[in-house]
Amino acid sequence: MVDLKGQYEGIKNQVNTSILKVLESSAFINGPEVHEFQKELEQYLGVKHVIPCANGTDALQICMMGLGLQPGDEVITADFTFAATVEVIALLGLTPVLVDVEPDTFNIDVSAIEKAITPKTKAIVPVHLFGQCADMDGIMALAEAHDLYVIEDNAQAIGAIHTFKEGRKQKSGAIGHVASTSFFPSKNLGCYGDGGAIFTNDDELAHTIRGIVNHGMYRRYHHDVVGVNSRLDSLQATVLRAKLPKLDEYNSRRREAAKKYNTAFSGQPHLVTPKTVNGCEGICDTCDCHVFHQYTLRILNGKRDSLVQHLQENSVPCGVYYPIPLHKQKAYADSRYDEADFSVTNQLVNEVISLPMHTELDDEQIRFISKLVIDHINK
Ligand SMILES: *Cc1c(COP(=O)(O)O)cnc(C)c1O
């Protein structure tokens, strides 16, 4: 699905040299590399505060702790996402409220959010799924009208740009009150282990969160709040510093690959290619409207599962993200849910397939993969 080795070859000298420098310095935790990376990422995103942490799941949890959400508070998020999003809500004793997504973008449906708001609702967690921002115009307007926090789960969309209806552009993760991201190796900006970060423009919240990630300490050995231990280490930070200047180029290579897939699949009646909305028609050359963390097709004629098998038999990796709606997972099922409210997610889990998508895909690979798909579903 990803070619981390190929990508490493392109930055090998720089990464090797800077890793050796960290080893020589022995500043493994809270070293200068972490601080420099934090500053560079703040600049890249156009956000006031980046707080690095251990992984994207921690980042989400810490966002909710920082906002002071309390047991019983309801947090609305998408039914169609990676489990981490709902897991941390439940872990904190908050009440997850799962809602349906849109069929064309796979992102949370704003009208479903609106329907789910109650007097107990405190926050909305839009997930910018597969590399494209959720409808942040609609979500920010709802949040304002109902006095709710917006926590962006930006694990899949770092570098993506949201174009607001009035034309203003903002990077994903710099739009809501606070955002989380993951630097898991296969993410668009990945390190060589685990890593994550929290972003916010709110000075006070940033201060609170800096203490939370460090055992609730604001002064050495004074623990004012219950915190966690969640750190990005210097070795990961130095890898991320090598990759950050290349992120836009990496994302545009993904977009190029997506365009080629789209061309190969155009006119095919039994599949739907991913739709790019967000101010742009189609996939544009200049704007990071979609950073294609995944390239995800919908297979409409019931052949999704056999296609997965066919690709595997031909040594082409593929993935089904996600095969089970969260509201049907044992851990998150809730008698208050009504199946009729999840018609899109219930359908998508049977239709979606994600094809190989990374920075090193070449034309021949794309031709080979798309031919396998087309031949199989038309057979
Ligand atoms: C990867 C991912 C996470 C979790 O990140 P980790 O670093 O693996 O903890 C959270 N949300 C989404 C949508 C993700 O894709």
Side-chain angles (χ1 to χ4, degrees):
M1 287 298 278
V2 294
D3 181 2
L4 295 174
K5 185 85 198 305
Q7 193 187 57
Y8 168 63
E9 292 300 329
I11 50 174
K12 189 171 184 170
N13 288 341
Q14 194 188 346
V15 167
N16 289 7
T17 309
S18 57
I19 284 181
L20 281 176
K21 261 170 67 184
V22 172
L23 296 185
E24 294 291 340
S25 79
S26 300
F28 297 119
I29 299 287
N30 286 336
E33 288 295 313
V34 178
H35 189 70
E36 290 303 316
F37 170 64
Q38 172 201 321
K39 293 283 159 216
E40 288 159 5
L41 189 57
E42 284 166 358
Q43 186 142 41
Y44 173 82
L45 293 168
V47 75
K48 269 175 96 176
H49 305 280
V50 165
I51 300 119
C53 67
N55 58 68
T57 308
D58 274 8
L60 266 170
Q61 178 180 328
I62 294 159
C63 288
M64 293 175 203
M65 292 170 77
L67 291 170
L69 301 185
Q70 295 298 321
D73 288 350
E74 293 179 0
V75 179
I76 299 174
T77 194
D79 191 35
F80 191 63
T81 173
F82 182 54
T85 321
V86 66
E87 174 180 74
V88 299
I89 299 172
L91 258 182
L92 291 174
L94 313 173
T95 305
V97 177
L98 297 166
V99 302
D100 213 358
V101 297
E102 295 172 345
D104 48 358
T105 64
F106 312 114
N107 274 325
I108 195 164
D109 181 335
V110 175
S111 63
I113 299 176
E114 187 162 23
K115 233 181 100 182
I117 292 173
T118 74
K120 290 185 179 167
T121 308
K122 288 285 152 53
I124 305 168
V125 185
V127 182
H128 303 317
L129 204 70
F130 301 154
Q132 174 168 234
C133 281
D135 176 359
M136 293 308 285
D137 292 79
I139 291 167
M140 295 310 291
L142 262 188
E144 191 156 340
H146 296 269
D147 199 18
L148 307 174
Y149 294 119
V150 174
I151 304 164
E152 293 173 77
D153 181 345
N154 199 29
Q156 300 191 3
I158 196 161
I161 288 175
H162 179 71
T163 306
F164 285 88
K165 293 209 172 68
E166 79 274 11
R168 183 166 55 94
K169 289 178 185 288
Q170 225 164 352
K171 285 231 165 83
S172 63
I175 303 167
H177 299 92
V178 63
S180 62
T181 201
S182 164
F183 304 124
F184 186 78
S186 63
K187 304 283 160 131
N188 289 37
L189 178 62
C191 56
Y192 294 163
D194 274 310
I198 299 141
F199 323 142
T200 185
N201 284 310
D202 181 327
D203 297 340
E204 203 175 317
L205 181 59
H207 173 75
T208 304
I209 286 174
R210 285 203 183 92
I212 290 174
V213 298
N214 188 26
H215 301 290
M217 261 197 304
Y218 297 89
R219 236 183 339 140
R220 206 163 166 74
Y221 299 123
H222 293 250
H223 303 274
D224 297 352
V225 296
V226 178
V228 295
N229 170 26
S230 191
R231 297 184 278 240
L232 182 73
D233 67 69
S234 304
L235 287 171
Q236 302 309 334
T238 209
V239 171
L240 291 165
R241 287 192 75 198
K243 284 193 176 187
L244 180 58
K246 292 186 160 276
L247 178 58
D248 285 347
E249 181 196 322
Y250 289 158
N251 282 341
S252 76
R253 278 198 239 161
R254 286 172 178 273
R255 217 159 28 245
E256 278 309 308
K259 266 195 220 173
K260 288 172 187 163
Y261 274 134
N262 277 358
T263 305
F265 292 131
S266 77
Q268 287 297 322
H270 303 308
L271 59 74
V272 180
T273 55
K275 186 170 178 190
T276 306
V277 287
N278 209 354
C280 304
E281 279 302 317
I283 303 172
C284 50
D285 295 315
T286 49
C287 161
D288 295 310
C289 46
H290 197 321
V291 296
F292 288 97
H293 176 60
Q294 299 292 351
Y295 181 86
T296 303
L297 294 175
R298 290 171 58 194
I299 305 298
L300 303 178
N301 61 352
K303 290 195 170 175
R304 196 276 311 271
D305 290 339
S306 62
L307 176 60
V308 168
Q309 205 179 348
H310 182 65
L311 291 176
Q312 281 166 353
E313 281 162 10
N314 284 277
S315 303
V316 171
C318 62
V320 172
Y321 310 115
Y322 297 92
I324 304 170
L326 286 176
H327 81 274
K328 289 188 179 172
Q329 299 282 2
K330 266 192 206 158
Y332 306 113
D334 189 320
S335 57
R336 77 154 116 184
Y337 293 136
D338 180 350
E339 281 308 312
D341 290 330
F342 298 101
S343 58
V344 176
T345 302
N346 285 342
Q347 187 179 343
L348 288 178
V349 293
N350 295 317
E351 292 178 350
V352 290
I353 181 168
S354 300
L355 300 181
M357 171 49 76
H358 53 80
T359 56
E360 316 300 313
L361 271 179
D362 63 33
D363 289 3
E364 186 166 345
Q365 289 168 320
I366 292 172
R367 250 194 317 271
F368 180 72
I369 297 164
S370 47
K371 186 168 184 312
L372 281 175
V373 172
I374 292 167
D375 288 351
H376 180 78
I377 63 173
N378 289 307
K379 202 165 58 188

